[in-house]
Amino acid sequence: MRIRLQFFHDARLVSAQDSLAYVAQSMNSLVNKIMSYQLGVIMDPIASIKPGKDSTLAMLLEAQARGYQLHYMEQSDVSIRDGTSYGNSQTLTVADDGKDWFQLGKKNTLPLHELDVMLMRKDPPFDLEYIYTTYALELAEQQGCLIINKPQSLRDVNEKLFISWFPQCCATTLISRDRQQLRDFIDELQSVVIKPLDGMGGESVFRTAIDDPNKSVIIDTITHNGARSVMVQRFIPAISEGDKRILMIDGEPVPYALARVPAAGETRGNLAAGGSGKGVELSERDRWICQQVGAELQQRGLIFVGLDVIGDFLTEVNVTSPTCIRQLDSIYGLTISATLFDVIERKLA
C-alpha cells in the first residue's frame, strides 16, 4: 500500500516518491543558483576595447568559465533612488575572439546590491562623474555587494599622489601648483618629469630641465597658470630599460612584470604612448617595494592594483583599471585572472 502525502503541486496530489524527487530537484536548482555568482562590471564601451590586450576582458572570461552570470554596465547606466543604487544592465557573454568577443542581451534595471561582486573598471579621467559612481557603489557595498576595488579607496587613493605614503620607495618628488616653487625644484634637480595628477597613458607628461627654454611655459600650461597641482619627479635614467608594471592581487605581487620600453626619442614607456612591452622577473628591490606597499593595499580593500616602478623607484600606484594581464599571461603562461578570482571567491565565502 502506497502512503500518499498531501503535497499540492501543479494542481494534483503526488506520492511520497514523487515529492522526494521534487524536493531533490528543487534543492539542486537552489544549489546551482547559489553557486552561480552574479557579477557586474562597469567599464568603457566593450565594443571599443582591444580584446587581445584588455585586462577587463581577461577577468570576464575567467568569471564566465567559472559559471558566473555577467552583467554589463557603463558609467551612465548607474543611478541612485531612495538610498538604493541601480544599474541599467545588459547580460553579457564573452569570447576569446579578436573579431567577435562579446554579445549583449536586453537591458534590465536591477539593484546593484543583488549582485555578488562588481568590477569597477572604468578608465580615468578621474572626474566628478567617476566620484559620483563610487558613491553609488559604496551604497551597494553597504548592502552586501563585494566591490573590486573598494569605492572609498578609489576616491582616497590618487594614483600619482599615493606614492607619498611610501617615500622610502620613491625618487625625490614635489607636488605643488606654486610656479616659483616648481621652477626652483627643477633647477635644484636639473632634470625632471612633470605630470598632472589625474592623467593616464602618459597623457601630458613632460620631461624638462634646468636649461630648457620652455620650462616656464610647460609649468604655466600644465598647472593652468597656477590653478592646478602637479607632480614633479627627478628624472630616472633607467626609464630606457622600461617602466615596469607590477600587478598586485590582495597585497601580493605577480612574480613577473611587464617592462614598457619607450619608443625611440620618447621618455614615456606607456603602451598608449607607443612603448613596447617585454616580460621581466621581479628583482629583489621590486619585491621589497611590493612588501612596503602590499599591507596598506590590503587594509584599504584594494584587491587588484598596478605598481609602476622605474629602476629602483616606485612612481605610481594604479587602482582604477590596471592593465597588462593578457600580456603577462601570454609571455609566461600565467592565469592572473584565475588568481584574482580565487581571492574574490574566498572573500565571497
Side-chain angles (χ1 to χ4, degrees):
M1 177 179 177
R2 298 179 68 191
I3 301 173
R4 302 186 66 85
L5 301 178
Q6 301 296 307
F7 282 88
F8 189 73
H9 179 234
D10 290 340
R12 64 184 179 86
L13 294 175
V14 293
S15 68
Q17 183 177 0
D18 292 335
S19 299
L20 290 172
Y22 173 69
V23 169
Q25 182 181 6
S26 298
M27 289 298 294
N28 287 336
S29 177
L30 180 61
V31 169
N32 289 335
K33 184 177 181 181
I34 291 172
M35 294 303 293
S36 180
Y37 289 121
Q38 302 293 314
L39 179 143
V41 61
I42 297 175
M43 60 186 292
D44 290 298
I46 193 169
S48 67
I49 68 172
K50 297 178 180 178
K53 297 181 178 180
D54 194 85
S55 292
T56 304
L57 180 60
M59 296 177 187
L60 295 173
L61 287 166
E62 177 64 27
Q64 181 176 268
R66 294 179 180 226
Y68 287 46
Q69 299 284 323
L70 307 183
H71 302 266
Y72 167 82
M73 285 162 266
E74 295 174 23
Q75 196 168 254
S76 59
D77 292 313
V78 177
S79 61
I80 302 172
R81 177 168 178 172
D82 298 330
T84 297
S85 300
Y86 293 89
N88 194 18
S89 73
Q90 293 173 272
T91 54
L92 172 66
T93 303
V94 290
D96 196 3
D97 184 328
K99 295 182 178 180
D100 183 19
W101 60 89
F102 74 100
Q103 290 185 346
L104 294 172
K106 294 181 179 180
K107 284 208 168 187
N108 177 51
T109 301
L110 78 164
L112 294 183
H113 67 265
E114 291 185 358
L115 300 170
D116 297 292
V117 60
M118 171 73 80
L119 303 176
M120 177 51 169
R121 293 286 300 172
K122 171 71 177 67
D123 283 343
F126 189 89
D127 53 15
L128 283 173
E129 287 301 322
Y130 192 104
I131 291 173
Y132 299 151
T133 302
T134 67
Y135 286 125
L137 292 175
E138 191 168 10
L139 283 172
E141 179 186 49
Q142 290 175 355
Q143 295 171 311
C145 181
L146 175 64
I147 312 294
I148 309 296
N149 285 313
K150 187 175 180 65
Q152 179 182 342
S153 294
L154 288 176
R155 293 194 300 272
D156 289 349
V157 176
N158 177 276
E159 298 189 324
K160 309 293 192 296
L161 260 167
F162 193 58
I163 66 167
S164 301
W165 271 246
F166 312 100
Q168 72 275 22
C169 301
C170 305
T172 306
T173 300
L174 171 68
I175 297 162
S176 177
R177 64 180 185 176
D178 184 296
R179 288 175 284 179
Q180 186 58 52
Q181 188 180 25
L182 293 169
R183 281 191 289 269
D184 291 344
F185 186 81
I186 294 170
D187 291 346
E188 176 191 343
L189 296 186
Q190 299 192 2
S191 182
V192 303
V193 170
I194 184 169
K195 52 190 172 183
L197 296 176
D198 60 352
M200 67 166 288
E203 180 182 1
S204 299
V205 175
F206 295 91
R207 181 184 174 187
T208 187
I210 185 172
D211 57 354
D212 184 351
N214 294 312
K215 174 178 61 179
S216 292
V217 175
I218 291 171
I219 291 172
D220 291 345
T221 301
I222 199 170
T223 65
H224 294 200
N225 293 316
R228 298 183 65 183
S229 296
V230 297
M231 169 178 280
V232 192
Q233 294 173 315
R234 178 170 62 80
F235 174 70
I236 305 169
I239 184 62
S240 62
E241 301 167 12
D243 179 356
K244 289 176 283 189
R245 167 59 56 83
I246 301 173
L247 295 179
M248 302 283 286
I249 299 176
D250 201 21
E252 295 294 331
V254 173
Y256 303 95
L258 190 74
R260 297 159 297 172
V261 181
E266 266 282 2
T267 56
R268 300 173 299 171
N270 309 77
L271 300 181
S276 59
K278 67 175 184 179
V280 295
E281 189 172 357
L282 298 192
S283 68
E284 185 175 334
R285 171 73 178 188
D286 294 334
R287 292 183 179 277
W288 178 81
I289 290 173
C290 293
Q291 289 174 351
Q292 299 297 301
V293 178
E296 185 71 19
L297 298 179
Q298 276 188 317
Q299 182 178 339
R300 290 175 179 261
L302 293 165
I303 305 303
F304 186 69
V305 172
L307 305 184
D308 287 350
V309 174
I310 300 175
D312 289 336
F313 302 104
L314 176 68
T315 60
E316 293 187 18
V317 179
N318 296 270
V319 301
T320 52
S321 54
T323 60
C324 297
I325 285 179
R326 305 217 78 182
Q327 293 93 328
L328 288 171
D329 280 355
S330 176
I331 295 169
Y332 293 108
L334 306 174
T335 51
I336 294 171
S337 293
T339 304
L340 173 62
F341 274 90
D342 287 345
V343 170
I344 288 172
E345 289 179 359
R346 287 199 298 270
K347 293 182 179 298
L348 288 174

